[in-house]
Amino acid sequence: MVPALAVADALLAEGAQVSFIGGARAEAQLVPAAGFALHEISVLGLSRSNPWQALRALALAAAAVIRARSLLRQLAPDAVLGAGSYVAGPVGLAALTLRIPLVLSEADSHLGLTNRLLAPFARRVCLAFPIAGRDGPRYRVTGRPIPPPGHDREAARLRFGIAADATCVLVFGGSLGARSINLAAVEAFAGAPFQVLHVSGRRDHAELLSRGLPGDYDLREYLALGDFNDALAAADLVVARAGGSVFEIAAHGLPAILIPYPHAAGDHQSANARWMSEAGAAVAIPDEELSGARLGGEVAALLSDRHRLAGMAGAARRLARPNAAREVAEELLEAARS
């Protein structure tokens, strides 16, 4: 949802009206909280291991196409953006049957199933990364749309109670969290000589909280999008998975230790981590090699070498694509005008 909301804000800045069609997952909270109308359809991800669940998902998708056609007739949009998830499949197909121009946005380093199916019929496919075989006039590498990065470090640190001269390590792993990172971070950083801001996610928060962490270990269950932006602005070093947030890390010019999720679709998190590490902006640790001792040692080595840390920060800034949301919005507006 982060890329879709960033594009929506860029469209608003150009005077466009924006509505969302989505499911009952994160968008059910994030879209209304951002001030946009959300029209719901019922969909499920396509299971590749359970045939009965796959059949149910296909039946829901067929019904969702009918529902999406009805919604699109009511909303009468000039263009539709498919943001890449399985929710976008029925809406994109409905848009094509109604001859509404379709633009796709791919946030990962490979095309997901929905975008692979819809790409031949889209006016433009906006890619976060260059993808082999996905070139030519239909494809445009824009980077991943993200909210504008926070630049007021002093205000961000004040918000989280971090002293101006303190070193802050930010740890996060998604809305549910990443258990391997959560456990390694608590083992490595409890009692560390630097400030820790650890966003654990909902799944492990109660268990981690019960461990009696020191008072200067700031454990949070969840941060809203604006608060997360401030957390990045306040940090000196990030420990995280290697999903789409790598673009937000880069936009804030932060060195990172990345632990790719090993079961991500198409192993795209490993590709994201390589993109950062090969540019000199990150250190990558395979999930199976992660431990409290390994993580603590990597962080200590980086924090003791300020020259290397500054070089990684510069490399991250060079990878940033701060205009991605505006570029995707431009493609939508051009499709609408056509």
Side-chain angles (χ1 to χ4, degrees), residues 4-6 12 19 22 32 105 118 128 177 184 200 211 214-215 224 229 245 255-256 260 271 293 295 301 315 334 338:
L5 288 169
L12 283 185
S19 293
S105 178
L118 293 176
S200 66
R211 296 187 173 215
N229 214 18
S245 60
L295 182 59
E334 180 61 31
S338 70

Side-chain angles (χ1 to χ4, degrees), residues 151-161 230 233-234:
H151 295 294
D152 194 339
R153 179 176 170 87
E154 182 179 352
R157 289 198 149 211
L158 186 63
R159 186 169 191 174
F160 288 103
D230 280 343

Side-chain angles (χ1 to χ4, degrees), residues 1 32 68-69 89 167 189 231 289 310 333:
M1 285 310 302
R69 278 175 57 90
T167 296
F189 304 144
E289 297 179 15
L333 293 171

